[in-house]
């Protein structure tokens, strides 16, 4: 998704308006449905003025494509500025520019890591050249257009406020500044020359459009890539905060080798790359001849990884690399150089089948390793035995005189890279209050399905690559374990079994298992492309409140075993704890899908509640669907092309003068007439602003209008002008609204307008009522014929 796109000429015209920050902000709202912090608008305003000056050279073609804030597929990352065209050999090229307002930075001993002031305090962060290079890698990894059409990606970084020093251009970072040159405050001309070398001709084949609408490559999972990673191949480029965690862990491992015990706590939600970083660290630490192991309590990830590695490594080596947290209760102190503890929130106190071994798994892991790295998400604790919390880790680290370092992973690589989906889900489940009260389904494919059989059929259809599965809350007994002919989950005519016992914890990768239903224990720590979730009676909504019921869980579920005794001892504390565990279970299930999550609720009121929190994506008109591309506005064209295949472009105010009052007004330029429309001199193009006509029209959309409206106007979307109008979006005496009128008839059979009501489509806006519609000042200037996304 591109927030803003156009040509170099249009971009420079928007900068000259002295309103580029708000133009981008309006485009951002239209594209994402979210507002932008004021400091981000200021940053756009500042940085884009520098880019405008860099592009101020006739050798950089006016029709070169410009994209701002390009959302990289399958991630939460955005590329600040892209310029597209062709190079001297005619090869299609995209220059990717990472913009920074930094004024200073500090050198570190960590690969690709610098320090700078972020949020008012010095912090470690990725070098800008490393950032630009990783964004290039992500685009190559995920976008088929870039890969299959051999588009040249040329990354660089521009720090327009940064005076030259020996830090940002230090030879220590040469590996990355060679891949992505860094340009500083005095280097505007150098950046201009860099662009001129790579962009010789404009974007005449709509490369920006093809990148933005190109097919997304199938996502790869950690399990599928594991064998290649263990051979030293790069499968996942680590971006920004992932790189900081990785390099910090390597540095702490070196420090711990000298005798100071180290503990690293890495907090991150679903899809932030905890497991990817952990496995990359396992590979690198092993390469450095350090004794490192990947540890989890839940066996599903380890067994899936082992299954994927079968045939590539000896079984004893696999077992030595991937271990259960149950096996360290008798380990000597500092036996391991590093233990990488994934899903650390699932750690428990006692080990063994009967919980009779050891004292505390957190204590035992810290004791056993010089460096222990805990990857944790406290919102994924799902059983009463789970004790993995940051406070628990800190407590045992202190008792072992270990130095504690804490970092966060926030970059999102699941749920289509949508941070908004995760925040919305927390709000919807009432796990935590967030600003994301509704979900724009353009961000992530989330659907409420009213029939479990249809849900399962949909998951079967999505099972390309064996990466779609059904899961459910544990509200049905596992009766098929003893008698495979029985069905566990019965909802009306829908009947299904829990995952087969013979598949065990590797159920999620078994080719035929899409016909079965998994649970939290067989999918936590793993990922799918699409997940179908059945929400049972243990979570319902009543009058807008999410209510959980441990009593609705099946008697065979061990996750909440002993809850009645807890509740009897301390009802208030038990209710709070059980409520969170049930909500966490569904939060975890509903975040397994990289591309989509489809949900069936056994309770209708709960289904209606979740449906009410969805904001459906606007459906473009069929003709507008053909026009999802950059609108090119030419300052002048040959007279023969005017109204032949091009239409004039006006501001709404100017259009009112030209077509309403017959004034001589020069157009801003000319744009090609959309296919399917026959141009005539009553037609023009204008850009609308504001949100009053959503979902039909979005802020920044270009529309084709036809003046001199003939016939009835009832129900049409029109541009009108009247002195009493004060449009809430434009502030002018003109507006674009849906036209409705009331008529009154005289005894002689003639009629006149009693009043005209100009109706917004967005319910947040009020009607505009024109009581004296026969007033000669009132004028319907034109009707909207088609919407062209800007």
């Amino acid at each position: 998704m591109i927030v803003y796109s156009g040509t170099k000429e249009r971009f420079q015209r928007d900068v000259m308006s002295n309103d580029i920050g708000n133009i981008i902000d309006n485009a951002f709202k239209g594209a994402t449905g979210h507002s932008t912090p004021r400091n981000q608008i200021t940053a756009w305003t500042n940085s884009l003025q520098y880019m405008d000056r860099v592009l101020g050279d006739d050798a950089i073609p006016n029709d070169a494509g410009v994209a701002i804030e390009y959302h990289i597929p399958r991630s939460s990352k955005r590329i600040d500025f892209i310029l597209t065209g062709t190079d001297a050999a005619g090869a299609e090229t995209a220059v990717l520019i990472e913009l920074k307002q930094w004024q200073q930075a500090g050198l570190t001993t960590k690969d690709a890591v610098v320090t700078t002031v972020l949020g008012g305090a010095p912090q470690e962060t990725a070098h800008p050249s490393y950032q630009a290079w990783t964004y290039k890698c992500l685009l190559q990894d995920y976008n088929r257009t870039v890969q299959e059409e051999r588009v040249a990606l040329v990354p660089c970084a521009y720090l327009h406020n940064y005076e030259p020093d020996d830090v940002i251009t230090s030879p220590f970072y040469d590996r990355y500044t060679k891949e992505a040159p860094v340009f500083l405050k005095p280097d505007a001309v150098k950046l201009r020359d860099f662009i001129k070398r790579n962009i010789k001709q404009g974007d005449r084949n709509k490369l920006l459009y093809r990148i933005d609408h190109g097919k997304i490559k199938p996502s790869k999972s950690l399990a599928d890539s594991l064998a290649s990673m263990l051979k030293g191949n790069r499968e996942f480029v680590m971006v920004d905060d992932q790189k900081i965690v990785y390099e910090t862990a390597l540095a702490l491992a070196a420090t711990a080798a000298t005798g100071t015990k180290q503990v690293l706590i890495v907090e991150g939600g679903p899809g932030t790359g905890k497991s990817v970083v952990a496995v990359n660290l396992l590979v690198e630490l092993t390469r450095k001849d350090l004794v490192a192991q990947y540890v989890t309590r839940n066996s599903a990830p380890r067994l899936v990884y082992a299954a994927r590695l079968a045939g590539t490594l000896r079984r004893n080596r696999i077992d030595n690399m991937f271990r259960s947290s149950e096996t360290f209760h008798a380990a000597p102190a500092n036996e391991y150089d590093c233990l990488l503890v994934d899903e650390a929130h699932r750690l428990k106190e006692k080990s063994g089948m009967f919980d009779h071994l050891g004292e505390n798994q957190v204590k035992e892991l810290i004791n056993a390793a010089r460096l222990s790295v805990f990857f944790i998400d406290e919102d994924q604790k799902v059983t009463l035995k789970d004790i993995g919390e940051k406070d628990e880790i800190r407590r045992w680290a202190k008792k072992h005189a270990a130095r504690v370092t804490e970092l966060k992973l926030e970059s999102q690589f699941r749920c289509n890279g949508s941070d908004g989906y995760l925040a919305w889900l927390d709000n919807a489940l009432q796990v935590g209050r967030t600003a994301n009260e509704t979900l724009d389904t353009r961000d992530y494919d989330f659907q409420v399905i009213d029939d479990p059989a249809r849900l399962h059929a949909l998951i079967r259809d999505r099972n390309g690559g064996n990466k779609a599965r059904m899961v459910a809350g544990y509200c049905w007994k596992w009766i098929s374990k003893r008698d495979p002919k029985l069905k566990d989950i019965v909802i009306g005519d829908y009947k299904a079994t829990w995952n087969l016992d013979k598949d065990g914890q590797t159920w999620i990768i078994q080719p035929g298992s899409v016909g079965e239903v998994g649970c939290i224990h067989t999918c936590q720590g793993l990922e799918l492309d699409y997940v179908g979730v059945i929400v049972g009676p243990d979570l319902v909504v009543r009058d807008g409140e999410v209510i959980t019921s441990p009593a609705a869980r099946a008697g065979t579920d061990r996750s909440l075993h002993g809850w009645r005794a807890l509740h009897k001892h301390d009802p208030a504390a038990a209710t709070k704890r059980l409520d969170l565990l049930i909500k966490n279970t569904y939060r975890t299930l509903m975040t397994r899908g990289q591309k989509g999550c489809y949900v069936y609720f056994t309770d209708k009121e709960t289904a209606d509640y979740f449906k009410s929190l969805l904001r459906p994506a606007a459906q473009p008109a069929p003709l507008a669907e053909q026009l999802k591309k950059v609108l090119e506005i030419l300052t002048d064209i040959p007279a023969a092309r005017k109204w032949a295949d091009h239409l004039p472009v006006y501001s709404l105010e100017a259009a009112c003068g030209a077509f309403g009052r017959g004034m001589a007004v020069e157009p801003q330029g000319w744009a090609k007439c959309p296919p399917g429309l026959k141009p005539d001199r009553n037609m023009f193009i204008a850009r609308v602003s504001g949100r009053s006509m959503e979902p039909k029209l979005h802020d920044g959309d270009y529309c084709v209008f036809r003046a001199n409206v003939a016939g009835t106007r009832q129900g049409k979307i029109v541009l009108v002008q009247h002195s009493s109008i004060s449009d809430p979006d434009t502030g002018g005496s003109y507006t674009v609204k849906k036209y409705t009128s009331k008529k009154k008839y005289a005894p002689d059979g003639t009629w006149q307008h009693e009043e005209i009501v100009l109706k917004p489509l967005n319910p947040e806006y009020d009607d505009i009522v024109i009581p004296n519609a026969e007033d000669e000042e009132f004028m319907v200037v034109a009707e909207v014929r088609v919407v062209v996304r800007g």
Side-chain angles (χ1 to χ4, degrees), residues 241-310:
D241 44 12
Q242 296 172 349
K243 180 68 170 174
I244 300 302
V245 169
Y246 176 82
E247 293 296 335
T248 299
L250 293 180
L252 291 176
T255 302
T258 65
T260 305
K261 187 181 282 289
Q262 302 286 331
V263 169
L264 174 59
I265 301 173
V266 181
E267 184 180 9
T272 52
K274 298 186 296 296
S275 299
V276 167
V277 175
V279 172
N280 271 294
L281 282 168
L282 176 66
V283 171
E284 181 61 15
L285 291 167
T286 302
R287 191 189 68 80
K288 291 177 177 286
D289 293 327
L290 296 175
V291 180
Q293 292 188 341
Y294 174 95
V295 179
T296 61
R297 174 195 163 195
N298 41 322
S299 58
R302 287 182 284 107
L303 294 177
V304 167
Y305 297 162
R308 285 289 189 243
L309 290 171

Side-chain angles (χ1 to χ4, degrees), residues 49-332:
Q49 289 178 358
Y50 285 94
M51 281 308 304
D52 174 55
R53 291 196 284 273
V54 167
L55 298 181
D57 189 310
D58 290 341
I60 301 174
N62 282 335
D63 58 349
V66 169
I68 298 170
E69 295 288 318
Y70 170 71
H71 181 184
I72 302 172
R74 304 271 184 266
S75 81
S76 58
K77 296 301 174 185
R78 298 179 186 276
I79 301 174
D80 292 333
F81 198 97
I82 304 177
L83 200 71
T84 55
T86 57
D87 64 14
E92 291 188 307
T93 303
V95 178
L96 318 178
I97 305 174
E98 175 70 14
L99 297 171
K100 297 290 187 190
Q101 298 194 72
W102 296 2
Q103 294 181 321
Q104 60 183 9
L107 198 65
T108 75
T109 58
K110 300 175 183 176
D111 181 60
V113 177
V114 296
T115 60
T116 193
V117 176
L118 298 172
Q123 293 185 34
E124 289 188 333
T125 189
H127 189 287
S129 292
Y130 179 84
Q131 285 185 308
W133 171 73
T134 56
Y135 295 169
K136 168 192 169 181
C137 295
L138 288 176
L139 199 51
Q140 287 174 327
D141 284 347
Y142 290 125
N143 194 291
R144 276 187 167 169
T145 298
V146 169
Q147 187 175 78
E148 294 176 0
E149 299 183 23
R150 300 180 182 275
V151 175
L153 300 181
V154 185
C156 66
Y158 185 26
L159 285 62
H160 48 74
N161 293 333
Y162 197 105
E163 294 284 359
D165 62 13
D166 57 358
V167 174
I168 212 72
T169 54
S170 166
F172 181 68
Y173 304 115
D174 274 356
R175 176 184 171 190
Y176 303 108
T177 55
K178 287 177 181 176
E179 292 282 353
V182 58
F183 298 95
L184 307 179
K185 185 175 181 179
D187 297 337
V189 173
K190 290 181 181 178
L191 175 57
R192 177 185 291 172
D193 291 341
F194 178 80
I195 292 171
K196 285 159 62 176
R197 285 197 302 274
N198 289 286
I199 303 291
K200 293 290 187 181
Q201 301 292 331
D203 188 1
R204 296 170 185 174
N205 294 317
K206 302 293 180 285
L207 175 59
L208 269 184
Y209 172 78
R210 285 169 22 235
I211 289 175
D212 195 28
H213 296 85
K215 290 184 178 179
I216 307 304
K217 288 178 62 181
S219 54
K220 54 186 177 182
S221 71
L222 176 60
D224 293 341
S225 305
L226 197 57
S228 176
M229 293 172 69
L230 291 175
K231 292 176 183 176
N233 298 321
R234 180 187 72 81
E235 290 291 336
F236 298 90
V237 62
M238 287 179 290
V239 303
D240 300 350
D241 44 12
Q242 296 172 349
K243 180 68 170 174
I244 300 302
V245 169
Y246 176 82
E247 293 296 335
T248 299
L250 293 180
L252 291 176
T255 302
T258 65
T260 305
K261 187 181 282 289
Q262 302 286 331
V263 169
L264 174 59
I265 301 173
V266 181
E267 184 180 9
T272 52
K274 298 186 296 296
S275 299
V276 167
V277 175
V279 172
N280 271 294
L281 282 168
L282 176 66
V283 171
E284 181 61 15
L285 291 167
T286 302
R287 191 189 68 80
K288 291 177 177 286
D289 293 327
L290 296 175
V291 180
Q293 292 188 341
Y294 174 95
V295 179
T296 61
R297 174 195 163 195
N298 41 322
S299 58
R302 287 182 284 107
L303 294 177
V304 167
Y305 297 162
R308 285 289 189 243
L309 290 171
T312 64
L313 296 174
R314 292 192 305 274
R315 181 72 200 193
N316 65 337
R317 187 181 174 200
I318 296 173
D319 291 342
N320 283 335
M321 297 179 76
F322 299 93
R323 297 280 299 279
S324 166
S325 60
E326 308 260 339
T327 60
F328 294 89
H329 53 85

Side-chain angles (χ1 to χ4, degrees), residues 539-695:
L539 186 145
V540 299
V541 175
R542 294 293 178 262
D543 298 323
E545 181 184 357
V546 178
I547 300 171
T548 57
S549 172
R553 286 286 185 93
T556 49
D557 175 32
R558 307 298 293 174
S559 301
L560 304 183
H561 180 68
W563 73 267
R564 295 181 189 276
L566 282 177
H567 194 273
K568 185 177 181 179
H569 174 69
D570 188 343
T575 297
K576 183 177 180 180
R577 185 177 175 190
L578 291 163
D579 178 71
L580 193 57
L581 290 175
I582 293 173
K583 289 176 178 177
N584 284 353
T585 298
Y586 285 112
R587 179 183 186 268
T588 303
L589 295 177
M590 292 163 75
T591 53
R592 296 305 92 194
Q594 292 197 57
K595 298 179 182 178
C597 173
Y598 308 141
V599 187
Y600 169 77
F601 296 92
T602 57
D603 178 74
K604 185 178 183 304
E605 185 176 341
T606 309
D608 291 341
Y609 163 80
F610 274 84
K611 288 178 183 177
S612 73
L613 302 180
L614 301 181
R615 188 168 69 250
Q619 297 299 315
L623 184 56
E625 185 64 34
Q626 306 171 33
L627 304 168
K628 278 189 168 181
K629 58 185 179 181
V630 177
L631 185 73
E632 292 188 49
I633 302 175
L634 306 176
T635 53
D636 197 14
I637 60 173
R641 295 173 63 186
K642 295 178 179 179
W643 291 288
D645 59 0
H646 280 66
L647 295 174
V649 180
Y650 292 95
S651 68
L652 288 177
E653 186 175 16
C656 290
F659 291 88
R661 306 299 178 193
M663 299 167 58
V665 180
E666 286 296 316
Q668 295 176 341
W670 295 81
K672 196 166 185 178
C673 182
L677 288 181
K678 185 177 180 180
D680 64 47
R681 289 181 176 269
N682 285 322
M683 295 169 67
F684 62 93
I685 296 174
R687 197 175 197 183
V688 299
S689 61
R691 299 177 52 243
S692 65
M693 294 303 287
E694 291 179 352

